[in-house]
Amino acid sequence: MSRRPDPLAQVSDFDIRLLKIYRSVVECGGFSAAENVLGIGRSAISQQMSDLEQRLGLRLCQRGRAGFSLTEEGREVYQSALQLLSALESFRTEVNGLHQHLRGELNIGLTDNLVTLPHMRITHALAQLKDRGPDVRIQIRMIAPSQVEQGVLDGSLHVGVVPQTSPLSGLEYQPLYSERSLLYCAVGHPLFYADDRQLDDERLNSQDAIAPTFRLPADVQAHYQALNCTASASDREGMAFLILTGRYIGYLPDHYASFWVQQGRLRALKPNQRFYDLSLCWVTRKGRRPHLVLESFLESLAATR
């Protein structure tokens, strides 16, 4: 003898909605009284109740001239619905609570020397993350942009910050900062005390200069191609080391160079002409698994503008 299938082998979102309507009907004492509470007409409520009865395979209530009343099965379904809907609400509350008490770790890969940016969006977002999740463990790696992107791709990093260039497949990029880089030389360089008006392109482009080895947009690369690049560096700190020798010129972000400028150790060469603006963005992996700590950090990052 074949076993009759259960009317509700699975509880769908549609079933949950019908049970919520049923709860309101019971608590209001009938279809007419529930109209204002539910914001739908009596005929629509009647249809929804018929759908629920059909789904459950039970007669839940009597309606007609004699008025509204629950069947015995209807009373039991009402009690079970209260338990189910209460459990769902408890689940929602507990999950929301996880957002307020975050646990786990966040692994971030950063292009070097962003901390001197006046916006400090990353700093503020990390502070908010720590406030929301005192037990969250934060690990920051200062590495080259290509390593940041590779780390996000292979999952060793949750998020990274890199210069915005041609996007890599499998990664999502969102704008974060824009920074300006100027062409600098240091004390001891022949151009340090030169008058900008006497610095023509030929003289500038003949100086020993530094090129970065990390990826940059084509319009930015053009600024380096115009120079006589006889040295290279994998990051901005390496470029600063070489510029500060007084033997090379090179581009540095103005916020990063300002410390040495104020000390009188660096000067910008023709700053109104020799500069470029670079967009920086945060990068995450496409199709990543849900990660509450990461999502909380990204939410704070997007809010700190």
Side-chain angles (χ1 to χ4, degrees):
M1 179 177 179
S2 61
R3 182 176 179 272
R4 181 187 176 190
D6 295 334
L8 278 184
Q10 294 181 340
V11 178
S12 66
D13 291 342
F14 179 65
D15 297 319
I16 298 298
R17 183 167 65 86
L18 293 179
L19 288 171
K20 288 180 178 180
I21 294 174
Y22 178 59
R23 178 184 61 183
S24 296
V25 169
V26 174
E27 292 174 353
C28 290
F31 294 2
S32 297
E35 285 183 287
N36 291 333
V37 173
L38 295 173
I40 57 177
R42 181 174 178 176
S43 61
I45 296 174
S46 178
Q47 180 60 54
Q48 302 276 25
M49 290 301 93
S50 295
D51 290 342
L52 180 59
E53 288 178 331
Q54 184 175 357
R55 288 282 293 155
L56 297 176
L58 298 170
R59 182 73 171 175
L60 300 178
C61 57
Q62 304 291 343
R63 53 264 206 195
R65 294 182 179 180
F68 175 85
S69 63
L70 294 178
T71 63
E72 184 62 33
E73 292 85 358
R75 283 189 287 270
E76 292 187 17
V77 168
Y78 172 67
Q79 292 300 322
S80 296
L82 291 180
Q83 294 176 21
L84 173 61
L85 296 175
S86 176
L88 287 173
E89 180 61 24
S90 296
F91 174 78
R92 184 186 66 83
T93 301
E94 290 175 7
V95 170
N96 287 342
L98 292 176
H99 288 273
Q100 303 300 321
H101 304 286
L102 298 172
R103 296 177 180 85
E105 65 181 26
L106 181 68
N107 298 321
I108 308 174
L110 298 180
T111 298
D112 66 317
N113 299 305
L114 296 181
V115 71
T116 51
L117 273 164
H119 312 297
M120 297 188 70
R121 287 181 59 189
I122 297 173
T123 303
H124 294 322
L126 288 172
Q128 292 178 20
L129 177 65
K130 189 62 176 174
D131 289 342
R132 292 185 62 180
D135 297 327
V136 169
R137 298 182 302 278
I138 299 171
Q139 300 181 36
I140 293 180
R141 296 174 59 192
M142 307 299 298
I143 50 180
S146 60
Q147 293 176 297
V148 173
E149 291 174 311
Q150 183 57 47
V152 175
L153 277 172
D154 66 28
S156 61
L157 296 174
H158 295 117
V159 61
V161 177
V162 296
Q164 186 169 4
T165 57
S166 55
L168 297 183
S169 176
L171 295 179
E172 292 180 348
Y173 298 79
Q174 294 293 331
L176 178 63
Y177 291 122
S178 179
E179 64 177 13
R180 172 158 292 190
S181 289
L182 304 176
L183 184 63
Y184 290 95
C185 71
V187 171
H189 193 278
L191 300 185
F192 189 78
Y193 294 107
D195 189 329
D196 271 348
R197 292 171 295 182
Q198 299 175 354
L199 294 177
D200 56 32
D201 288 343
E202 182 178 355
R203 189 178 182 192
L204 278 175
N205 295 343
S206 65
Q207 304 297 315
D208 285 332
I210 310 151
T213 58
F214 49 85
R215 289 195 314 140
L216 289 169
D219 60 328
V220 173
Q221 290 177 1
H223 288 270
Y224 292 96
Q225 291 168 356
L227 299 176
N228 178 34
C229 293
T230 59
S232 63
S234 63
D235 51 49
R236 280 99 70 93
E237 186 171 0
M239 298 179 75
F241 267 114
L242 289 172
I243 295 171
L244 287 166
T245 66
R247 304 298 184 270
Y248 299 90
I249 64 173
Y251 286 95
L252 291 175
D254 56 4
H255 61 85
Y256 177 50
S258 64
F259 172 76
W260 293 294
V261 171
Q262 292 171 14
Q263 287 188 331
R265 297 179 61 191
L266 286 184
R267 65 157 290 191
L269 301 168
K270 306 192 74 169
N272 293 327
Q273 300 175 31
R274 291 300 185 109
F275 70 89
Y276 64 80
D277 294 320
L278 180 65
S279 295
L280 296 162
C281 55
W282 53 263
V283 56
T284 53
R285 187 172 57 180
K286 291 181 180 177
R288 63 185 184 274
R289 293 181 179 179
H291 188 286
L292 292 179
V293 174
L294 173 60
E295 301 310 322
S296 179
F297 174 70
L298 296 180
E299 180 183 326
S300 297
L301 200 59
T304 53
R305 295 186 180 275

